[in-house]
Amino acid sequence: MANVKESRVQADADVGGHLVLNFVNTCGGAGKDRDVERLADWDGAIDWATANGVVDSTDRRLFGKVRSRKGRRPPDLLKDLTELREAAHSVFAAIAGGVLPSEEARLRLERDIVEAMHHSTLWIEGRAPVRWTVCPEKAGSTLIKDRLAISASELLSQPMLANVRECGACSWLFLDLSRSRSRRWCSMATCGNRAKAKRHYHTTRAT
C-alpha cells in the first residue's frame, strides 16, 4: 500500500453502504492498486471516525489521556488501524470474488475482532438483535479500531454479506442492494462515468 497523501474525489461518502466497507474504502485510487491514502495521519483518522459516527467528542478527549498514560504514539495507532483496514479489505474482497481469503488476512482480522470483544459488553435490549458494544474505558486508544473490528464482525455474520461486491474498476467495496443484484461500479459518478467514457472513446475510434 502506497503512502500517497491525497484524497480520491468522490460524489458519495457512503459508497460502501456499511460502516466497515466505507472504512476499507479510505484507501484506493482509480485502479485496483491500493495507492491513494485518505487517512494520512492520526488526526485525520480521528476526523474520519468522528464524521462517520465511530466516535464522538467525549471519545476524542479520551484519546489524549490514554496516550499520555500508556505512551501510545499516533503513528503506531494509525499503523494498527490501517493494518486492520487492509486485512478487512482482503477478506471482504475475497468473499465478494467467491474465493478464500489469505490466511494472513483472516488471522489478522480474527485477532482484532477477538481483542475488540475483550473490550466490549453484550448489549441486550428487549427483542432487538443482540450486539457487542465497545466500552471506551476498556478500549482506550484502540477504541476506533475496536469499533470498526466489531462492525466487520457484524457484517460477516449477516445475510447481507452475500451482497458485498468489489467495483469493476477500482478496489472499493460496496453492498449491492439493486433489484437485479448486478451493480458493477462503486459509484456512477466516478468509476461508472470513467468506464462509459472509455467505451465511448474506443467505439469512436473503431468507427
Side-chain angles (χ1 to χ4, degrees):
M1 182 186 66
N3 293 319
V4 180
K5 296 183 178 180
E6 58 180 286
S7 296
R8 168 179 169 175
V9 176
Q10 63 187 73
D12 186 355
D14 190 29
V15 164
H18 190 280
L19 176 60
V20 72
L21 300 184
N22 290 335
F23 172 52
V24 302
N25 292 346
T26 59
C27 186
K32 290 296 182 180
D33 293 333
R34 306 280 286 167
D35 58 353
V36 177
E37 178 61 77
R38 294 177 60 206
L39 305 182
D41 52 40
W42 181 237
D43 287 338
I46 296 177
D47 288 342
W48 179 90
T50 304
N52 285 270
V54 182
V55 295
D56 58 23
S57 56
T58 301
D59 298 325
R60 294 185 67 144
R61 287 193 293 271
L62 175 68
F63 294 137
K65 295 179 181 178
V66 172
R67 283 206 308 270
S68 61
R69 186 169 67 249
K70 295 188 176 181
R72 293 301 306 276
R73 298 172 58 249
D76 298 329
L77 297 174
L78 183 65
K79 182 174 182 290
D80 286 345
L81 187 63
T82 55
E83 286 180 355
L84 163 64
R85 181 190 62 194
E86 295 311 301
H89 179 272
S90 180
V91 169
F92 285 111
I95 291 171
V99 298
L100 290 175
S102 71
E103 188 72 357
E104 180 183 4
R106 184 190 67 79
L107 288 173
R108 171 67 199 225
L109 182 57
E110 177 185 290
R111 189 193 78 185
D112 285 338
I113 290 173
V114 170
E115 287 180 354
M117 287 184 174
H118 282 308
H119 299 152
S120 305
T121 58
L122 201 58
W123 183 264
I124 302 176
E125 186 176 19
R127 295 181 181 272
V130 176
R131 57 189 176 87
W132 289 99
T133 302
V134 180
C135 304
E137 296 77 13
K138 291 182 179 180
S141 60
T142 65
L143 180 62
I144 294 175
K145 180 171 72 72
D146 287 349
R147 285 182 173 166
L148 290 167
I150 292 295
S151 179
S153 174
E154 290 172 347
L155 181 55
L156 287 169
S157 63
Q158 293 172 352
M160 71 175 67
L161 179 65
N163 300 118
V164 174
R165 304 283 187 271
E166 183 172 353
C167 179
C170 73
S171 70
W172 281 18
L173 305 177
F174 59 88
L175 287 179
D176 181 6
L177 302 179
S178 65
R179 182 174 299 180
S180 62
R181 299 293 188 268
S182 59
R183 180 177 157 192
R184 295 182 61 191
W185 317 114
C186 60
S187 170
M188 281 304 300
T190 51
C191 288
N193 280 342
R194 279 196 292 267
K196 287 168 61 178
K198 187 176 181 179
R199 286 198 302 270
H200 176 72
Y201 171 76
H202 287 296
T203 300
T204 302
R205 288 200 64 184
T207 57

